[in-house]
């Protein structure tokens, strides 16, 4: 399967395949995943502390050879609207999940990293019980300490914070 074409067919604006050697799990990015800076902290298995240490995240990335970096772009976005941002994030993550499933069917083993926390269950089992749906769960780029701006630069993709234009990222490791 041509993963780049499959990504574009799903609606991604850009997709690039890279070696996982380009993906760095940075302590400084992960340091933003703390209770006073992120409302997702401690809320589930894909965010700290549920996702494990930064070293554990590095081990996950190192366990794969390649990755497809995915970008969706939305224009005329009211970034002050939490409702609109949540809707766009869900749509972006749903597209990423579709491609992830296709890659996993072909590769057998893949791992999805997306934007934001997990919203698959009404109430997460964290920290009392294992994830109910581990085959559908995903990781968070931020929780993994991935500097999306630097990753895009290394991959030759445009990434910027422009008023009214929302660029959202995802990554499938395979």
């Amino acid at each position: 399967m041509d993963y780049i074409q499959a990504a574009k067919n799903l609606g991604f604006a850009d997709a690039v395949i890279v070696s996982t050697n380009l993906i760095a799990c940075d302590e400084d990015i992960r340091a933003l995943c703390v209770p006073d800076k992120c409302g997702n902290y401690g809320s589930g298995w894909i965010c700290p502390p549920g996702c494990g240490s930064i070293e554990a995240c590095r081990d996950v990335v190192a366990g794969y050879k390649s990755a497809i970096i995915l970008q969706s772009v939305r224009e005329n976005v009211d970034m002050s609207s939490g409702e609109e941002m949540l809707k766009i994030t869900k749509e972006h993550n749903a597209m990423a999940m579709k491609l992830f499933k296709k890659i996993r069917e072909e590769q057998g083993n893949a791992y999805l990293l997306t934007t934001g926390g997990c919203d698959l269950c009404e109430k997460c089992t964290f920290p009392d019980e294992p994830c109910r749906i581990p085959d559908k769960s995903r990781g968070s780029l931020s929780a993994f300490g991935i500097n999306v701006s630097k990753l895009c630069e290394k991959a030759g993709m445009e990434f910027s914070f422009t008023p009214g234009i929302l660029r959202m990222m995802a990554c499938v490791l395979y």
Side-chain angles (χ1 to χ4, degrees):
M1 171 189 344
D2 180 344
Y3 296 151
I4 292 180
Q5 189 58 54
K8 290 185 177 182
N9 290 346
L10 285 168
F12 286 101
D14 201 0
V16 176
I17 295 174
V18 299
S19 166
T20 55
N21 293 336
L22 291 182
I23 302 173
C25 298
D26 186 340
E27 294 275 358
D28 292 340
I29 299 298
R30 177 63 175 271
L32 300 173
C33 294
V34 292
D36 63 332
K37 293 184 180 175
C38 181
N40 290 329
Y41 181 87
S43 66
W45 288 109
I46 73 167
C47 291
C51 65
S53 67
I54 193 76
E55 291 79 18
C57 295
R58 286 181 182 132
D59 289 345
V60 169
V61 173
Y64 296 90
K65 181 178 81 169
S66 301
I68 183 167
I69 312 301
L70 306 163
Q71 182 180 80
S72 60
V73 179
R74 287 297 214 24
E75 295 184 9
N76 303 314
V77 175
D78 177 3
M79 303 218 197
S80 66
S81 169
E83 188 175 304
E84 183 175 1
M85 294 296 290
L86 183 60
K87 179 180 180 253
I88 292 169
T89 299
K90 282 186 175 206
E91 290 169 358
H92 167 82
N93 288 342
M95 285 191 319
M97 182 61 80
K98 286 179 184 176
L99 184 62
F100 163 70
K101 286 179 180 178
K102 289 180 182 185
I103 292 172
R104 190 173 58 187
E105 284 174 13
E106 192 169 284
Q107 297 289 332
N109 188 23
Y111 194 85
L112 175 62
L113 297 167
T114 60
T115 300
C118 187
D119 59 3
L120 298 175
C121 296
E122 190 172 319
K123 176 159 176 32
C124 185
T125 59
F126 178 82
D128 302 319
E129 297 176 31
C131 177
R132 288 183 197 98
I133 49 173
D135 61 316
K136 292 184 181 179
S137 71
R138 56 190 184 258
S140 163
L141 290 161
S142 301
F144 268 59
I146 297 171
N147 183 324
V148 172
S149 180
K150 284 184 182 178
L151 180 58
C152 286
E153 183 180 321
K154 290 177 187 177
M157 297 175 87
E158 182 180 350
F159 187 82
S160 62
F161 296 100
T162 308
I165 299 176
L166 180 62
R167 296 178 190 283
M168 298 190 82
M169 306 303 298
C171 173
V172 180
L173 307 169
Y174 63 93

